[in-house]
Amino acid sequence: MGLFLLGDPDIALFGSGIGKGFSRHEFFCPGNCTDNGMDSGEEITVMREYLHMHKRGVRMTSRQIREGGVIRESTVNYFRHPQSGSPPVQQKPFKVKRGDAFELSCYYHDSGTDDEK
């Protein structure tokens, strides 16, 4: 058992802010992300996937790419941090193989106030 983290785990957006209003930020984990630490032929079974965002997050998608094609996509179309900081995706367990890549799209809304609840 363990964790497989993707995206922006340091919550840094690579040094840039999310921007005012509605915005989208993309994160890409190329195939060498899963090459590291996995032996040839080894697989990871993901039992549960949680798409986690913070205060201004409103939607998130995750795409798993194998051999150049999207093989699986998960989406949380409604996100409200006070309600649930990490909603589980309703899906069956899936496999991650060596060389799989991932694309994450994070959608935000920043109204410019700090009183967003």
Side-chain angles (χ1 to χ4, degrees), residues 60-116:
M60 187 173 180
T61 63
S62 170
R63 290 167 298 286
Q64 183 178 359
I65 301 159
R66 184 175 295 148
E67 299 175 0
V70 175
I71 64 164
R72 187 189 62 76
E73 184 169 347
S74 55
T75 303
V76 171
N77 281 316
Y78 175 79
F79 186 88
R80 188 151 166 91
H81 191 267
Q83 180 182 9
S84 173
S86 297
V89 177
Q90 301 301 309
Q91 63 189 1
K92 294 182 179 184
F94 61 92
K95 302 279 186 187
V96 175
K97 294 185 177 185
R98 189 170 189 222
D100 284 358
F102 290 85
E103 291 178 341
L104 290 96
S105 298
C106 301
Y107 299 80
Y108 300 92
H109 180 251
D110 183 354
S111 64
T113 66
D114 282 336
D115 63 347
E116 296 177 44

Side-chain angles (χ1 to χ4, degrees), residues 2 6 14 21 26 35 38 41 46-47 51 73 75 79 81 112 114:
L6 299 170
F14 306 110
E26 304 284 333
D35 278 345
M38 291 179 74
V46 177
M47 302 302 291
L51 300 182
E73 184 169 347
T75 303
F79 186 88
H81 191 267
D114 282 336

Side-chain angles (χ1 to χ4, degrees), residues 18-24 56 58 107-112 116:
I18 63 169
K20 300 290 184 222
F22 289 98
S23 63
R24 179 180 77 198
R56 291 176 175 85
V58 293
Y107 299 80
Y108 300 92
H109 180 251
D110 183 354
S111 64
E116 296 177 44

